[in-house]
Amino acid sequence: MGNGVREGPVEFQRDVEPVTARIPAEDNQEKKKVLNSLMSGALAGAVAKTAVAPLDRTKIMFQVSSKRFSAKEAYRLIYRTYLNEGFWSLWRGNSATMVRVIPYAAIQFCAHEEYKQILGNYYGFQGKALTPFPRFIAGSLAGTTAAMVTYPLDMVRARMAVTPKEMYSSIVHVFIRISREEGLKTLYRGFTPTILGVIPYAGLSFFTYETLKKVHAEHSGKAQPSPPERLLFGACAGLIGQSASYPLDVVRRRMQTAGVLGHTYSSILLTMQEIVREEGLVRGLYKGLSMNWVKGPIAVGISFTTFDLTQILLRKLQHGPGPQR
């Protein structure tokens, strides 16, 4: 009896000490993981968007006008812009894009990793790939979170893309003029179609990419795809995601740029009706989609690949070679 009393506290101390010692280490690991996701996402967004900026600007200019889109007309517009405004004008608005896309991509990729973990714990998939529905939900929630935080920057970027450089001298100037001339509410014009578009776009993009990686691992026997395979999987993800949400992207751009192009769009449905009435269903709501089929897969492929490879590199630098994502 006496021996039992003396031994009890000793055993208790041995059990508790490792737990209390592990808590700071676990917190530190979680912070590193979040920081790595933010850094990798920011780099992924910056590299991808800069690579396709001229095509992106051209697409927006067609989306917000009543001109009929064709590959020939797109080429002519790019060439005329180059002749009249110079080579670097093809990247006009890219500084605003970077101001938006760096925090957007950082938040989106980081949020996706966190939502995957939360949903994995909820559905009991700790350490394993999520099933299809949670995989889609994680992507949709990540895209929605990023869009809500960074939306005014997207509005500014759209305005700079469709206006001459004399109209807005800088990103700050766009904010000041919109606030003074059109009101602060204008900074969130087009927000609803953006969120409605982000849900299928981000959901399907992340779902497709994660699914292709999972299928590849099951059939190839390799734990991780090669960089070219990652690019291909990302391209497929971008193609599917952007095709599903494209009409809402057109509506969003029309509502964002209405103030400088002499239009008034009061709601999503009225904007859609006006576009269809004036330009037709396919030629209006899907204007520029063929360019998106070139631009989108390239951008999304580069983005997912850059994120994954940067994550792997950062983990190797911090911990040495280990299991890869």
Side-chain angles (χ1 to χ4, degrees):
M1 189 72 179
N3 289 341
V5 171
R6 284 195 301 272
E7 288 174 5
V10 176
E11 277 303 310
F12 178 75
Q13 289 298 327
R14 280 204 300 267
D15 287 342
V16 169
E17 282 172 5
V19 175
T20 55
R22 275 201 307 267
I23 291 171
E26 286 175 1
D27 287 346
N28 196 36
Q29 280 296 107
E30 186 61 29
K31 285 177 184 175
K32 280 184 180 179
K33 181 185 166 190
V34 171
L35 185 60
N36 286 355
S37 294
L38 287 170
M39 290 171 60
S40 302
L43 182 62
V47 172
K49 278 295 183 181
T50 300
V52 298
L55 294 176
D56 210 19
R57 186 189 179 200
T58 303
K59 181 202 73 172
I60 292 173
M61 292 174 79
F62 273 102
Q63 283 182 327
V64 302
S65 75
S66 56
K67 265 190 208 176
R68 184 176 173 182
F69 177 84
S70 69
K72 185 185 285 188
E73 284 302 314
Y75 170 76
R76 283 178 179 169
L77 178 59
I78 292 172
Y79 188 62
R80 277 200 306 271
T81 303
Y82 162 69
L83 289 178
N84 296 334
E85 302 177 42
F87 177 74
W88 293 113
S89 68
L90 296 173
W91 275 265
R92 174 162 169 74
N94 196 51
S95 57
T97 300
M98 290 299 102
V99 170
R100 169 193 170 261
V101 88
I102 288 174
Y104 179 92
I107 292 167
Q108 180 176 240
F109 278 107
C110 182
H112 182 246
E113 295 297 304
E114 294 303 307
Y115 285 131
K116 278 200 306 183
Q117 185 174 322
I118 292 167
L119 289 168
N121 291 338
Y122 180 79
Y123 285 102
F125 297 119
Q126 294 95 329
K128 299 178 184 176
L130 295 174
T131 52
F133 181 68
R135 207 177 299 154
F136 175 82
I137 294 298
S140 295
L141 288 173
T144 302
T145 302
M148 288 174 69
V149 174
T150 62
Y151 185 77
L153 294 168
D154 188 44
M155 156 69 84
V156 169
R157 177 255 181 161
R159 286 290 182 94
M160 290 188 76
V162 301
T163 54
K165 57 186 176 183
E166 295 79 19
M167 187 165 184
Y168 297 119
S169 59
S170 67
I171 297 168
V172 175
H173 189 210
V174 183
F175 275 109
I176 292 171
R177 282 196 62 174
I178 289 176
S179 303
R180 186 187 302 147
E181 297 172 10
E182 302 172 57
L184 284 171
K185 284 185 178 178
T186 304
L187 291 172
Y188 280 89
R189 184 180 291 158
F191 179 71
T192 303
T194 297
I195 294 300
L196 292 176
V198 157
I199 291 170
Y201 170 67
L204 286 170
S205 295
F206 279 106
F207 168 82
T208 303
Y209 185 68
E210 295 286 326
T211 300
L212 289 173
K213 282 172 60 179
K214 183 173 180 288
V215 170
H216 172 271
E218 289 171 352
H219 287 80
S220 69
K222 293 191 292 184
Q224 292 297 318
S226 65
E229 287 169 335
R230 289 181 194 272
L231 279 170
L232 179 60
F233 299 162
C236 293
L239 188 65
I240 293 170
Q242 293 192 349
S243 297
S245 61
Y246 195 77
L248 286 163
D249 191 44
V250 174
V251 170
R252 168 175 68 120
R253 294 302 185 198
R254 293 293 178 97
M255 294 179 78
Q256 285 177 336
T257 58
V260 292
L261 296 177
H263 293 284
T264 304
Y265 299 117
S266 57
S267 70
I268 298 171
L269 285 176
L270 289 175
T271 304
M272 281 187 166
Q273 286 173 3
E274 186 171 331
I275 292 170
V276 172
R277 185 173 62 249
E278 293 180 359
E279 303 166 50
L281 178 64
V282 175
R283 290 178 182 173
L285 291 178
Y286 289 90
K287 180 185 290 182
L289 178 60
S290 57
M291 178 174 285
N292 241 38
W293 283 342
V294 175
K295 175 191 78 71
I298 293 172
V300 178
I302 291 172
S303 181
F304 277 124
T305 304
T306 303
F307 176 78
D308 275 359
L309 296 182
T310 306
Q311 282 276 82
I312 291 167
L313 177 62
L314 288 173
R315 279 202 295 268
K316 281 183 177 177
L317 290 174
Q318 289 171 355
H319 307 297
Q324 296 178 353
R325 179 175 173 274

